[in-house]
Amino acid sequence: MLLHVEDLAVTIDRRAKTPVRPVRGVSLTVDAGTTVAIVGESGCGKSMTCLAISGLLPARGRVSAGQIILQGQDLAALDAKSAMALRRASMASVFQDATGGLNPVRSIGWQIAEAVRLRVGATRAEAAKEAVRLLGRVGLPEPERRAREYPHQFSGGMNQRAMIALAIAGSPKLLIADEATTALDVTVQAQILDLIGDLRDSLGMGVIFVTHDLGLVAQYAEQIVVMYAGRVVERAETAALFAAPRHPYAQALLTSLPSAAKPAERLPTIEGVVPPIDALPPGCAFAPRCSRANHICSQEDPVLLGGVACHNIQVMA
Protein backbone atom coordinates (compact mmCIF):
# COMPACT_ATOMS: atom_id res chain seq x y z
CA MET A 1 0.00 0.00 0.00
CA LEU A 2 1.55 3.26 -1.17
CA LEU A 3 -0.95 5.76 0.22
CA HIS A 4 -3.83 5.35 2.62
CA VAL A 5 -6.09 8.25 3.58
CA GLU A 6 -8.51 7.58 6.42
CA ASP A 7 -11.37 9.88 7.49
CA LEU A 8 -9.56 12.98 6.25
CA ALA A 9 -11.10 16.31 7.19
CA VAL A 10 -9.84 19.74 6.14
CA THR A 11 -10.82 22.93 7.95
CA ILE A 12 -10.41 26.46 6.60
CA ASP A 13 -10.23 29.08 9.35
CA ARG A 14 -11.77 32.45 8.46
CA ARG A 15 -11.44 35.85 10.12
CA ALA A 16 -14.55 36.72 12.15
CA LYS A 17 -16.44 33.86 10.53
CA THR A 18 -17.19 30.26 11.40
CA PRO A 19 -14.55 27.85 10.04
CA VAL A 20 -15.64 25.69 7.10
CA ARG A 21 -14.84 22.09 6.21
CA PRO A 22 -14.45 21.59 2.45
CA VAL A 23 -13.36 17.97 3.00
CA ARG A 24 -15.25 15.75 5.42
CA GLY A 25 -14.27 12.18 6.24
CA VAL A 26 -12.58 11.19 2.97
CA SER A 27 -10.95 7.76 2.78
CA LEU A 28 -9.07 6.23 -0.15
CA THR A 29 -6.17 3.91 -0.91
CA VAL A 30 -3.64 4.01 -3.74
CA ASP A 31 -1.36 1.07 -4.51
CA ALA A 32 1.85 1.23 -6.52
CA GLY A 33 1.24 0.86 -10.25
CA THR A 34 -2.47 1.73 -10.05
CA THR A 35 -4.61 4.78 -10.76
CA VAL A 36 -7.41 6.07 -8.54
CA ALA A 37 -9.68 8.69 -10.11
CA ILE A 38 -11.45 11.27 -7.96
CA VAL A 39 -14.47 12.65 -9.83
CA GLY A 40 -17.24 15.13 -9.20
CA GLU A 41 -18.36 18.63 -10.13
CA SER A 42 -16.42 21.76 -9.26
CA GLY A 43 -16.72 22.50 -5.53
CA CYS A 44 -16.94 18.85 -4.46
CA GLY A 45 -13.60 18.88 -2.60
CA LYS A 46 -11.48 16.92 -5.07
CA SER A 47 -8.60 19.40 -5.33
CA MET A 48 -8.69 20.28 -1.63
CA THR A 49 -8.29 16.58 -0.80
CA CYS A 50 -5.20 16.42 -3.01
CA LEU A 51 -3.78 19.65 -1.58
CA ALA A 52 -4.08 18.13 1.88
CA ILE A 53 -2.28 14.97 0.76
CA SER A 54 0.52 16.96 -0.88
CA GLY A 55 0.87 19.48 1.98
CA LEU A 56 -0.15 22.45 -0.17
CA LEU A 57 -3.23 23.68 1.67
CA PRO A 58 -3.86 27.46 1.67
CA ALA A 59 -2.52 29.53 4.56
CA ARG A 60 -5.64 29.16 6.72
CA GLY A 61 -6.24 25.54 5.79
CA ARG A 62 -5.34 22.61 8.02
CA VAL A 63 -5.91 18.89 8.30
CA SER A 64 -8.29 18.78 11.26
CA ALA A 65 -8.95 15.04 11.43
CA GLY A 66 -7.94 11.73 9.95
CA GLN A 67 -4.69 10.18 8.75
CA ILE A 68 -2.52 10.45 5.64
CA ILE A 69 -0.23 7.44 5.61
CA LEU A 70 2.45 7.58 2.91
CA GLN A 71 4.72 4.58 2.46
CA GLY A 72 3.80 3.37 5.93
CA GLN A 73 4.41 6.69 7.71
CA ASP A 74 1.67 8.85 9.18
CA LEU A 75 2.43 12.37 7.97
CA ALA A 76 0.55 13.90 10.90
CA ALA A 77 2.89 12.17 13.34
CA LEU A 78 5.98 13.71 11.72
CA ASP A 79 7.34 17.19 12.36
CA ALA A 80 6.89 19.68 9.51
CA LYS A 81 10.44 19.30 8.17
CA SER A 82 10.29 15.49 8.11
CA ALA A 83 6.83 15.48 6.52
CA MET A 84 8.05 17.86 3.81
CA ALA A 85 11.11 15.71 3.14
CA LEU A 86 8.98 12.57 2.79
CA ARG A 87 6.55 14.31 0.45
CA ARG A 88 9.38 15.76 -1.66
CA ALA A 89 11.00 12.34 -2.03
CA SER A 90 7.81 10.40 -2.60
CA MET A 91 5.20 12.46 -4.46
CA ALA A 92 4.73 15.10 -7.14
CA SER A 93 1.80 16.99 -8.64
CA VAL A 94 0.73 18.14 -12.09
CA PHE A 95 -1.93 20.85 -12.20
CA GLN A 96 -4.30 22.18 -14.83
CA ASP A 97 -2.45 25.39 -15.73
CA ALA A 98 0.93 24.08 -16.88
CA THR A 99 2.06 27.44 -18.22
CA GLY A 100 1.25 29.15 -14.93
CA GLY A 101 3.14 26.43 -13.05
CA LEU A 102 6.39 27.09 -14.95
CA ASN A 103 8.74 30.01 -14.37
CA PRO A 104 8.56 32.22 -17.49
CA VAL A 105 12.10 33.61 -17.06
CA ARG A 106 13.87 30.27 -16.69
CA SER A 107 14.45 27.72 -19.42
CA ILE A 108 12.51 24.47 -19.30
CA GLY A 109 15.70 22.48 -18.86
CA TRP A 110 16.90 24.68 -15.98
CA GLN A 111 13.65 24.17 -14.09
CA ILE A 112 13.70 20.40 -14.48
CA ALA A 113 17.40 20.26 -13.56
CA GLU A 114 16.68 22.20 -10.36
CA ALA A 115 14.05 19.62 -9.39
CA VAL A 116 16.56 16.83 -10.04
CA ARG A 117 19.18 18.56 -7.87
CA LEU A 118 16.71 19.11 -5.02
CA ARG A 119 15.38 15.57 -5.03
CA VAL A 120 18.44 13.41 -5.72
CA GLY A 121 21.40 15.71 -5.00
CA ALA A 122 22.93 15.56 -8.48
CA THR A 123 25.63 17.92 -9.75
CA ARG A 124 24.63 20.69 -12.18
CA ALA A 125 26.04 18.75 -15.14
CA GLU A 126 24.31 15.53 -14.10
CA ALA A 127 21.02 17.36 -13.51
CA ALA A 128 21.17 19.10 -16.89
CA LYS A 129 21.77 15.78 -18.63
CA GLU A 130 18.89 14.20 -16.71
CA ALA A 131 16.57 17.08 -17.67
CA VAL A 132 17.22 16.38 -21.35
CA ARG A 133 16.57 12.67 -20.80
CA LEU A 134 13.30 13.39 -19.02
CA LEU A 135 12.09 15.69 -21.81
CA GLY A 136 12.72 12.87 -24.26
CA ARG A 137 11.01 10.42 -21.90
CA VAL A 138 7.78 12.45 -21.99
CA GLY A 139 7.77 12.50 -25.78
CA LEU A 140 9.13 15.96 -26.64
CA PRO A 141 11.11 15.91 -29.91
CA GLU A 142 14.64 17.31 -29.97
CA PRO A 143 14.90 17.38 -26.18
CA GLU A 144 18.33 19.03 -26.14
CA ARG A 145 17.00 22.02 -28.05
CA ARG A 146 13.76 22.12 -26.13
CA ALA A 147 15.65 22.18 -22.83
CA ARG A 148 17.09 25.56 -23.82
CA GLU A 149 13.68 27.04 -24.64
CA TYR A 150 11.17 28.86 -22.42
CA PRO A 151 7.50 28.15 -21.56
CA HIS A 152 6.21 30.81 -23.97
CA GLN A 153 7.85 28.90 -26.83
CA PHE A 154 5.86 25.76 -26.02
CA SER A 155 2.27 24.88 -26.89
CA GLY A 156 -0.18 23.98 -24.11
CA GLY A 157 0.36 20.26 -24.65
CA MET A 158 4.14 20.67 -24.70
CA ASN A 159 4.07 22.66 -21.46
CA GLN A 160 1.99 19.91 -19.87
CA ARG A 161 4.58 17.34 -20.97
CA ALA A 162 7.30 19.57 -19.51
CA MET A 163 5.35 19.73 -16.23
CA ILE A 164 5.14 15.94 -16.18
CA ALA A 165 8.91 15.73 -16.78
CA LEU A 166 9.35 18.15 -13.87
CA ALA A 167 7.06 16.01 -11.71
CA ILE A 168 8.81 12.69 -12.40
CA ALA A 169 12.30 14.10 -11.76
CA GLY A 170 13.65 11.94 -8.98
CA SER A 171 11.17 9.11 -9.71
CA PRO A 172 8.37 9.85 -7.21
CA LYS A 173 6.25 6.98 -5.98
CA LEU A 174 2.98 8.93 -6.21
CA LEU A 175 1.81 11.33 -8.94
CA ILE A 176 -1.20 13.58 -8.38
CA ALA A 177 -2.68 14.82 -11.67
CA ASP A 178 -5.25 17.48 -10.76
CA GLU A 179 -7.35 18.33 -13.83
CA ALA A 180 -4.13 17.91 -15.79
CA THR A 181 -5.87 17.64 -19.17
CA THR A 182 -8.82 20.02 -18.76
CA ALA A 183 -7.33 22.91 -20.76
CA LEU A 184 -6.21 20.70 -23.66
CA ASP A 185 -8.03 19.62 -26.80
CA VAL A 186 -9.37 16.08 -27.03
CA THR A 187 -6.48 14.64 -29.04
CA VAL A 188 -3.83 16.07 -26.72
CA GLN A 189 -5.86 14.96 -23.68
CA ALA A 190 -5.62 11.36 -24.90
CA GLN A 191 -1.87 11.71 -25.50
CA ILE A 192 -1.27 13.07 -22.00
CA LEU A 193 -3.40 10.36 -20.39
CA ASP A 194 -1.55 7.69 -22.37
CA LEU A 195 1.75 9.24 -21.27
CA ILE A 196 0.76 9.22 -17.60
CA GLY A 197 -0.39 5.61 -17.96
CA ASP A 198 2.90 4.58 -19.59
CA LEU A 199 4.93 6.32 -16.89
CA ARG A 200 2.82 4.70 -14.18
CA ASP A 201 3.50 1.25 -15.64
CA SER A 202 7.20 1.76 -16.35
CA LEU A 203 8.04 3.52 -13.07
CA GLY A 204 5.59 1.63 -10.86
CA MET A 205 4.00 4.88 -9.65
CA GLY A 206 0.64 5.21 -8.00
CA VAL A 207 -1.51 7.89 -9.62
CA ILE A 208 -4.37 10.01 -8.31
CA PHE A 209 -6.23 11.50 -11.26
CA VAL A 210 -8.65 14.32 -10.46
CA THR A 211 -11.32 15.24 -13.00
CA HIS A 212 -14.93 16.33 -13.39
CA ASP A 213 -15.26 14.09 -16.47
CA LEU A 214 -16.08 10.44 -15.75
CA GLY A 215 -15.68 9.57 -19.41
CA LEU A 216 -11.97 10.44 -19.33
CA VAL A 217 -11.06 7.90 -16.68
CA ALA A 218 -12.96 4.87 -17.94
CA GLN A 219 -9.90 3.21 -19.45
CA TYR A 220 -7.19 4.70 -17.25
CA ALA A 221 -8.27 4.12 -13.63
CA GLU A 222 -8.72 0.91 -11.67
CA GLN A 223 -10.86 2.59 -9.02
CA ILE A 224 -13.15 5.61 -8.95
CA VAL A 225 -13.94 7.77 -5.93
CA VAL A 226 -17.04 9.95 -6.45
CA MET A 227 -17.11 13.06 -4.27
CA TYR A 228 -19.94 15.47 -3.53
CA ALA A 229 -19.87 18.49 -1.21
CA GLY A 230 -16.66 17.38 0.47
CA ARG A 231 -17.62 13.75 1.02
CA VAL A 232 -17.11 10.42 -0.73
CA VAL A 233 -20.55 9.27 -1.86
CA GLU A 234 -19.42 6.22 -3.81
CA ARG A 235 -16.19 4.27 -4.13
CA ALA A 236 -15.89 1.30 -6.47
CA GLU A 237 -13.81 -0.50 -9.03
CA THR A 238 -14.11 1.29 -12.37
CA ALA A 239 -15.78 -1.56 -14.23
CA ALA A 240 -18.31 -2.07 -11.44
CA LEU A 241 -19.20 1.62 -11.22
CA PHE A 242 -19.71 1.97 -14.97
CA ALA A 243 -21.76 -1.23 -15.09
CA ALA A 244 -24.01 -0.41 -12.13
CA PRO A 245 -23.52 2.90 -10.29
CA ARG A 246 -25.42 2.88 -7.00
CA HIS A 247 -25.44 6.43 -5.65
CA PRO A 248 -27.95 8.75 -7.40
CA TYR A 249 -25.19 11.29 -7.98
CA ALA A 250 -22.91 8.74 -9.65
CA GLN A 251 -25.86 7.56 -11.73
CA ALA A 252 -26.59 11.13 -12.83
CA LEU A 253 -22.95 11.74 -13.78
CA LEU A 254 -22.89 8.64 -15.96
CA THR A 255 -26.25 9.43 -17.55
CA SER A 256 -24.94 12.82 -18.62
CA LEU A 257 -22.06 11.32 -20.62
CA PRO A 258 -22.33 11.53 -24.44
CA SER A 259 -23.26 8.28 -26.17
CA ALA A 260 -22.26 7.21 -29.67
CA ALA A 261 -25.45 5.15 -29.81
CA LYS A 262 -27.60 8.30 -29.48
CA PRO A 263 -25.50 11.14 -30.94
CA ALA A 264 -28.44 13.46 -31.63
CA GLU A 265 -30.15 12.99 -28.27
CA ARG A 266 -30.01 15.85 -25.80
CA LEU A 267 -28.00 14.94 -22.71
CA PRO A 268 -29.77 15.01 -19.34
CA THR A 269 -28.41 17.40 -16.74
CA ILE A 270 -28.43 17.46 -12.95
CA GLU A 271 -30.72 20.23 -11.79
CA GLY A 272 -29.27 22.67 -9.28
CA VAL A 273 -25.66 23.21 -8.17
CA VAL A 274 -23.25 21.90 -5.56
CA PRO A 275 -24.03 23.79 -2.31
CA PRO A 276 -21.35 26.16 -1.00
CA ILE A 277 -19.31 24.71 1.84
CA ASP A 278 -20.52 27.35 4.28
CA ALA A 279 -24.19 26.68 3.53
CA LEU A 280 -24.59 22.91 3.39
CA PRO A 281 -28.17 21.71 3.82
CA PRO A 282 -29.03 19.46 6.78
CA GLY A 283 -28.81 15.74 6.15
CA CYS A 284 -27.52 14.50 2.81
CA ALA A 285 -25.99 17.39 0.83
CA PHE A 286 -27.25 15.88 -2.44
CA ALA A 287 -30.87 15.58 -1.23
CA PRO A 288 -32.06 18.93 -2.74
CA ARG A 289 -31.02 17.66 -6.19
CA CYS A 290 -32.02 14.02 -5.77
CA SER A 291 -35.28 12.64 -7.19
CA ARG A 292 -35.17 9.75 -4.70
CA ALA A 293 -34.75 11.86 -1.56
CA ASN A 294 -37.12 11.23 1.36
CA HIS A 295 -37.59 12.67 4.83
CA ILE A 296 -34.58 10.78 6.26
CA CYS A 297 -32.30 12.29 3.59
CA SER A 298 -33.02 15.82 4.78
CA GLN A 299 -32.38 14.94 8.42
CA GLU A 300 -29.36 12.61 8.57
CA ASP A 301 -26.11 12.57 6.65
CA PRO A 302 -25.64 8.97 5.45
CA VAL A 303 -22.44 7.12 6.32
CA LEU A 304 -20.36 5.29 3.71
CA LEU A 305 -21.35 1.62 3.94
CA GLY A 306 -20.32 -0.97 1.39
CA GLY A 307 -18.78 1.73 -0.78
CA VAL A 308 -21.86 3.97 -1.04
CA ALA A 309 -23.32 6.71 1.17
CA CYS A 310 -27.07 6.75 0.51
CA HIS A 311 -30.03 6.16 2.82
CA ASN A 312 -32.03 4.51 0.06
CA ILE A 313 -29.28 2.05 -0.76
CA GLN A 314 -28.80 1.19 2.92
CA VAL A 315 -32.55 0.70 3.42
CA MET A 316 -32.71 -1.62 0.41
CA ALA A 317 -29.68 -3.52 1.65
Side-chain angles (χ1 to χ4, degrees):
M1 182 173 60
L2 174 61
L3 173 75
H4 179 65
V5 178
E6 184 69 29
D7 288 330
L8 175 68
V10 172
T11 297
I12 306 294
D13 296 314
R14 304 184 297 172
R15 289 191 181 96
K17 291 185 178 180
T18 304
V20 293
R21 289 202 304 163
V23 175
R24 304 175 293 137
V26 169
S27 298
L28 58 87
T29 298
V30 184
D31 293 319
T34 66
T35 297
V36 174
I38 306 178
V39 303
E41 296 166 278
S42 296
C44 283
K46 310 182 300 299
S47 293
M48 196 64 72
T49 296
C50 291
L51 291 175
I53 293 170
S54 56
L56 297 175
L57 286 171
R60 294 183 177 276
R62 55 188 170 86
V63 173
S64 51
Q67 291 181 306
I68 303 172
I69 300 173
L70 178 62
Q71 293 189 293
Q73 296 190 65
D74 184 357
L75 291 172
L78 301 176
D79 60 76
K81 184 176 180 180
S82 298
M84 180 182 293
L86 178 59
R87 284 184 167 109
R88 178 182 291 171
S90 304
M91 68 170 67
S93 299
V94 179
F95 300 103
Q96 177 178 341
D97 182 11
T99 303
L102 294 167
N103 189 331
V105 300
R106 293 289 190 177
S107 69
I108 295 293
W110 185 93
Q111 295 180 64
I112 297 172
E114 276 298 286
V116 173
R117 292 181 63 208
L118 282 171
R119 291 174 182 166
V120 301
T123 65
R124 289 186 182 276
E126 291 169 340
K129 184 177 180 180
E130 177 66 3
V132 172
R133 187 191 74 81
L134 288 170
L135 287 173
R137 181 68 184 85
V138 298
L140 282 173
E142 301 180 85
E144 289 187 8
R145 177 170 69 86
R146 295 299 186 185
R148 297 191 295 271
E149 294 182 340
Y150 293 79
H152 73 271
Q153 296 174 280
F154 279 29
S155 67
M158 292 169 65
N159 272 322
Q160 198 61 282
R161 288 177 185 270
M163 279 295 295
I164 293 171
L166 186 66
I168 64 173
S171 301
K173 302 299 183 183
L174 175 68
L175 179 67
I176 300 175
D178 189 351
E179 300 280 9
T181 63
T182 299
L184 306 175
D185 63 52
V186 175
T187 301
V188 179
Q189 277 186 353
Q191 293 172 354
I192 296 299
L193 286 169
D194 286 340
L195 171 61
I196 292 173
D198 289 343
L199 291 170
R200 176 200 65 186
D201 296 339
S202 62
L203 300 177
M205 294 188 306
V207 176
I208 297 177
F209 189 82
V210 177
T211 182
H212 61 274
D213 187 348
L214 260 174
L216 272 182
V217 300
Q219 59 183 326
Y220 296 99
E222 285 77 23
Q223 186 178 94
I224 294 178
V225 174
V226 182
M227 288 189 67
Y228 188 82
R231 290 200 59 199
V232 174
V233 295
E234 184 163 357
R235 184 177 59 220
E237 300 298 313
T238 301
L241 188 137
F242 272 82
R246 294 185 292 165
H247 195 280
Y249 182 57
Q251 293 170 357
L253 289 177
L254 280 175
T255 303
S256 65
L257 291 178
S259 171
K262 300 177 181 178
E265 189 172 296
R266 181 167 180 166
L267 295 175
T269 59
I270 309 173
E271 295 296 328
V273 296
V274 179
I277 56 174
D278 59 353
L280 294 176
C284 175
F286 187 62
R289 306 173 72 188
C290 181
S291 61
R292 291 161 49 186
N294 54 39
H295 68 284
I296 298 177
C297 301
S298 61
Q299 296 174 5
E300 299 179 16
D301 201 1
V303 297
L304 189 72
L305 292 176
V308 62
C310 178
H311 289 298
N312 289 292
I313 298 296
Q314 293 166 16
V315 168
M316 289 189 289

